[in-house]
């Protein structure tokens, strides 16, 4: 089904992967943030024109959103806040009101890949990673094409997890206070129940951190491994 369209989409994705990662490898003075912005633009365009198969979650979500359009804003907000994921309801309703179906995967790609590229860029700046090594990193990560499909299909979970990713990076690498990110954790938790579980794991790890700092040797290393696995 849609064989030609799939070949074109995969072809553009593959060409973009080699072009942007390769450009960074051969251009040591290129600005990483600019390259990632152009790469993000290509990803968003691909997401906008993606048409899901009937078996995909995105197809079902589009139908669900269309059903919401019969409600007024006041009526829908009442419905949304009676659920465990009002963030997703409001997000989907706002995009559905535009009448442009491609915005759901496109805006989701902006959020998810925007957060992922944010972490990559800040990490490279933080640890003085060269463009050559950054290009290798981007190639390895973006070559996992299933991440793209998961992002535009499993919309709710990926938005929430990408927000948690940024929070954890800011706290564990940049030293930002967890309390400054509480609103982000709350927002992420309102997208999907799976994200709530991840946030609870982060809370558990937060209370382990003081213990880990006081320990030495193998015990401290054990806490570090636990943190790496859970995060």
């Amino acid at each position: 089904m849609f064989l030609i369209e799939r070949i074109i989409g995969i072809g553009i994705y593959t060409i973009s992967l080699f072009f942007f990662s390769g450009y960074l490898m051969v251009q040591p003075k290129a600005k990483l943030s600019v390259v990632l912005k152009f790469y993000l633009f290509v990803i968003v365009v691909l997401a906008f024109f993606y048409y899901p198969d009937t078996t995909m979650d995105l197809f079902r979500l589009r139908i669900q959103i269309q059903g919401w359009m019969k409600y007024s804003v006041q009526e829908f907000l009442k419905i949304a806040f009676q659920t465990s994921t009002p963030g997703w309801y409001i997000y989907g309703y706002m995009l559905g009101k535009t009448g442009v179906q491609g915005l759901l995967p496109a805006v989701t790609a902006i959020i998810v890949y925007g957060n992922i590229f944010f972490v990559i860029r800040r990490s490279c700046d933080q640890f003085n990673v060269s463009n050559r090594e950054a290009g290798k990193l981007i190639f390895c990560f973006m070559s996992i094409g299933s991440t793209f499909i998961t992002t535009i299909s499993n919309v709710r979970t990926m938005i929430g997890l990408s927000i948690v990713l940024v929070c954890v990076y800011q706290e564990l690498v940049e030293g930002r206070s967890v309390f400054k990110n509480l609103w982000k954790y709350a927002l992420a938790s309102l997208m999907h129940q799976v994200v709530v579980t991840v946030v609870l794991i982060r809370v558990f790890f937060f209370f382990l951190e003081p213990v880990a700092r006081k320990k030495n040797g193998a015990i401290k290393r054990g806490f570090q491994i636990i943190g790496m696995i859970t995060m």
Side-chain angles (χ1 to χ4, degrees):
M1 183 180 290
F2 307 116
L3 178 61
I4 301 300
E5 291 85 349
R6 300 304 189 207
I7 292 175
I8 294 174
I10 294 173
I12 294 174
Y13 185 93
T14 304
I15 292 171
S16 301
L17 168 65
F18 280 96
F19 175 78
F20 288 107
S21 59
Y23 181 78
L24 284 172
M25 290 182 192
V26 299
Q27 293 292 336
K29 295 184 179 180
K31 197 165 184 178
L32 178 60
S33 60
V34 175
V35 175
L36 289 178
K37 285 178 181 177
F38 278 106
Y39 199 176
L40 178 61
F41 174 78
V42 174
I43 294 297
V44 171
V45 171
L46 287 174
F48 181 85
F49 289 105
Y50 187 87
Y51 188 84
D53 187 76
T54 55
T55 60
M56 295 183 67
D57 195 35
L58 177 60
F59 187 86
R60 182 181 62 80
L61 292 179
R62 284 181 170 179
I63 295 175
Q64 183 182 31
I65 290 174
Q66 288 176 358
W68 292 344
M69 295 302 100
K70 62 184 178 182
Y71 297 105
S72 67
V73 175
Q74 293 79 6
E75 291 173 331
F76 189 77
L77 287 177
K78 184 177 180 181
I79 294 172
F81 284 102
Q82 289 176 346
T83 70
S84 60
T85 56
W88 152 245
Y89 275 70
I90 295 172
Y91 176 74
Y93 184 79
M94 290 173 59
L95 294 179
K97 275 296 184 181
T98 66
V100 182
Q101 288 192 336
L103 282 182
L104 177 60
V107 175
T108 300
I110 291 175
I111 297 171
V112 175
Y113 279 95
N115 286 335
I116 292 172
F117 287 172
F118 170 84
V119 172
I120 291 176
R121 177 177 60 81
R122 293 290 283 265
S123 297
C124 291
D125 291 342
Q126 178 92 3
F127 300 105
N128 296 316
V129 177
S130 66
N131 277 357
R132 182 176 180 81
E133 297 305 314
K136 293 178 182 179
L137 170 63
I138 292 169
F139 179 84
C140 290
F141 176 77
M142 296 301 293
S143 63
I144 308 173
S146 58
T147 303
F148 174 76
I149 299 300
T150 303
T151 295
I152 61 178
S153 179
N154 200 354
V155 171
R156 301 163 295 174
T157 302
M158 291 300 287
I159 289 177
L161 292 180
S162 72
I163 294 173
V164 174
L165 168 68
V166 171
C167 292
V168 171
Y169 172 80
Q170 290 176 330
E171 294 155 14
L172 299 187
V173 178
E174 297 184 343
R176 183 182 177 90
S177 171
V178 174
F179 298 102
K180 291 183 179 180
N181 281 334
L182 287 180
W183 69 273
K184 294 181 183 178
Y185 284 119
L187 180 63
S189 299
L190 294 177
M191 296 301 295
H192 198 277
Q193 293 89 342
V194 170
V195 184
V196 176
T197 303
V198 176
V199 171
L200 290 176
I201 293 174
R202 173 61 186 129
V203 171
F204 175 73
F205 180 70
F206 171 73
F207 287 108
L208 284 181
E209 287 175 354
V211 179
R213 284 195 292 266
K214 294 178 181 179
K215 301 296 180 180
N216 293 315
I219 296 178
K220 183 176 181 179
R221 182 58 180 165
F223 277 112
Q224 292 174 339
I225 294 173
I226 293 173
M228 293 171 62
I229 294 173
T230 55
M231 291 298 106

